[in-house]
Amino acid sequence: MNDEDLCKILTDARLAQFGDSLLNFAYSIALTETTGLPRGTKIQDKILADAAAKAGLRKLLPRRVSRGDVANSLEALLGHVWLQKMITLEEIVVCLKTENLDPSKNFSHLVEISLSKLKQQS
């Protein structure tokens, strides 16, 4: 997959909206399984934007984008790879359950896995 095609995925608002729901659900599952208590939560854009930057997504986006747009790129990527059956919900949850003091590292690792799977498909 070339950078132009990847940029189209990363800036797709519908994929970002779907990916937002998917990640919030997966993160809620991970927290529930980790704590043993039912949890429903929304991931902060700051965490996702930090993760996207750590994983190198920021450099694939247009120059002037907001933190929210950077977070949306991560959500769009995850939505895309899940819809293409390149990653399962279980794989996402396992990645997010990894104990880490900085949750953005888990999301960054998830982006790296997703990008790797996209490259394998091309």
Side-chain angles (χ1 to χ4, degrees), residues 29-46:
I29 291 171
L31 289 175
T32 297
E33 290 180 0
T34 301
T35 65
L37 301 170
R39 297 278 307 264
T41 192
K42 178 164 178 23
I43 306 156
Q44 296 174 358
D45 278 354
K46 180 184 183 333

Side-chain angles (χ1 to χ4, degrees), residues 3-63:
D3 286 351
E4 185 177 321
D5 291 338
L6 184 55
C7 186
K8 286 180 185 176
I9 290 169
L10 297 177
T11 57
D12 186 312
R14 288 180 188 226
L15 278 175
Q17 186 177 25
F18 175 76
D20 178 58
S21 296
L22 176 65
L23 281 178
N24 287 327
F25 181 59
Y27 192 56
S28 294
I29 291 171
L31 289 175
T32 297
E33 290 180 0
T34 301
T35 65
L37 301 170
R39 297 278 307 264
T41 192
K42 178 164 178 23
I43 306 156
Q44 296 174 358
D45 278 354
K46 180 184 183 333
I47 292 171
L48 295 178
D50 288 348
K54 285 177 188 171
L57 283 186
R58 177 67 190 92
K59 65 184 176 193
L60 299 171
L61 295 170
R63 284 189 169 225

